[in-house]
Amino acid sequence: AGNIFVTEYNRRLIKCYNADGEYLSQFGGSGSGPGLFSYPRGIAVSGTGFVYVADSGNDRVQKFGPRELEMNNESALDSDARFNYWGEQVLDEIQASDNPKDLSALDDSWDDASFGTIDYAYWLTNPLELTENHVFSHIYDPVPMTVLTGSSYTIKGIAYSPSGIDKVDISVDGGITWIAVTGKVQWSYTWTLPADGNYVIKTRVLPTGGQPVESSDVRNVKVDNSQVKRYAPVPFVAKSGIPAGIPDFLVQRYRTLPERYFIYRKWF
C-alpha cells in the first residue's frame, strides 16, 4: 500500500504517514508562495504519485511531484541553467535522447504551461569546465532582456575562484562605475532603479591575492515604469468644513495612515 497524506487545516501543513500509520514527513507552512498554504481543505494523490492540495485560502490547487527535484522553475520567466551542475539522473536523461524534453527531475514549462523553461540544452553543448585558473561571475537573475519595473530590483548571481574570493563587484552602467555586492560565492545586489531606459549590467571578481577579473556574462535590461499606474492621494477635507445640513451618514471615512481623510457628497 502507498503512503497516506493528511491535511492539517489550522497549521497549514501536509503530513505524510506510511500504510501502518507511522509518521514519515511533512511539508508546507503558512503563506501564499509556492509550497505554502492558507487553510488546505482537500488532498488527492494521482496514480503516478503526484499530490494535489486544495489550498482554499489562496484560491488555488497546488501540485507536488513524487520525486526529488534538482531544479524548480515556477516563475513565468525562462531560467538560464548553463552553469548548473546536474546530478546523474538529469545527465542520464539528457544523454538518452534528443533535447530539449521533459526531464523528471526538473519542474518547468513541460510540467505546467504557466511555468518558464529551464534552458539546460546549452549546458550539453557548451559545458562550463572549471580549470585550475578559472575565475568567473555569473548573473542568473535577471535573465537577458528583462523589463524591470518598480522602485528596486535584486540582482543575483554566483561566482568562483580557485584561490578564493575577496569580493564581487557589480556595474549597472556598463562598467563605468563599480559597487561591491553582498556575498561572494552566492551574491546579490539591490538596485534602486533609475529613470526609464536601457542599461548594461556587468560583474567582476577580485580573487584572493589577485587582480579583478571582469566577467563576459553581461545582462542587457530595460527599466520601464511608464505603464505603472500611480494614484494621487485622496484630498483632505476637514470634518469641520462640511457644509451644514449634510447628514453624518453621508460622510465617507477613508483611513490612510497616519491621517484620516473625510470626503463628503451633496444631495442632488
Side-chain angles (χ1 to χ4, degrees), residues 225-239:
N225 280 306
S226 62
Q227 302 303 315
V228 177
K229 294 182 179 180
R230 294 180 173 85
Y231 297 92
V234 178
F236 177 76
V237 179
K239 189 175 182 180

Side-chain angles (χ1 to χ4, degrees), residues 27-247:
F27 59 92
S30 180
S32 59
L36 300 177
F37 304 109
S38 176
Y39 303 110
R41 283 184 176 273
I43 192 166
V45 182
S46 71
T48 55
F50 285 92
V51 178
Y52 296 83
V53 179
D55 187 9
S56 64
N58 288 317
D59 194 25
R60 64 186 179 182
V61 174
Q62 295 200 66
K63 173 186 175 184
F64 299 90
R67 74 287 191 217
E68 292 293 329
L69 294 176
E70 290 202 23
M71 190 168 181
N72 184 7
N73 184 23
E74 293 189 355
S75 73
L77 301 175
D78 294 339
S79 179
D80 177 358
R82 58 179 172 164
F83 286 109
N84 280 50
Y85 171 76
W86 300 114
E88 292 184 4
Q89 178 183 349
V90 172
L91 291 179
D92 288 345
E93 290 188 55
I94 289 176
Q95 295 168 355
S97 60
D98 293 337
N99 295 280
K101 58 179 177 288
D102 186 12
L103 302 184
S104 62
L106 307 184
D107 251 5
D108 59 2
S109 56
W110 291 91
D111 303 283
D112 189 313
S114 66
F115 295 175
T117 62
I118 296 176
D119 182 9
Y120 67 85
Y122 182 92
W123 183 94
L124 186 65
T125 56
N126 298 274
L128 174 65
E129 297 180 0
L130 299 181
T131 62
E132 182 179 354
N133 299 315
H134 193 94
V135 178
F136 78 89
S137 179
H138 168 61
I139 303 168
Y140 64 80
D141 187 4
V143 296
M145 308 308 296
T146 296
V147 177
L148 308 179
T149 61
S151 60
S152 65
Y153 191 92
T154 300
I155 303 168
K156 301 175 183 178
I158 57 175
Y160 172 79
S161 169
S163 64
I165 299 173
D166 278 348
K167 70 170 182 172
V168 178
D169 292 331
I170 191 169
S171 172
V172 292
D173 55 15
I176 298 174
T177 58
W178 295 92
I179 306 167
V181 303
T182 300
K184 296 177 181 179
V185 176
Q186 290 184 300
W187 56 261
S188 64
Y189 173 71
T190 301
W191 182 23
T192 299
L193 296 183
D196 290 359
N198 297 313
Y199 294 87
V200 179
I201 304 173
K202 293 184 174 183
T203 62
R204 68 183 182 186
V205 178
L206 178 60
T208 301
Q211 297 297 315
V213 178
E214 187 172 327
S215 173
S216 60
D217 187 38
V218 176
R219 288 290 180 269
N220 292 284
V221 299
K222 182 178 182 179
V223 176
D224 185 3
N225 280 306
S226 62
Q227 302 303 315
V228 177
K229 294 182 179 180
R230 294 180 173 85
Y231 297 92
V234 178
F236 177 76
V237 179
K239 189 175 182 180
S240 60
I242 297 177
I246 300 296

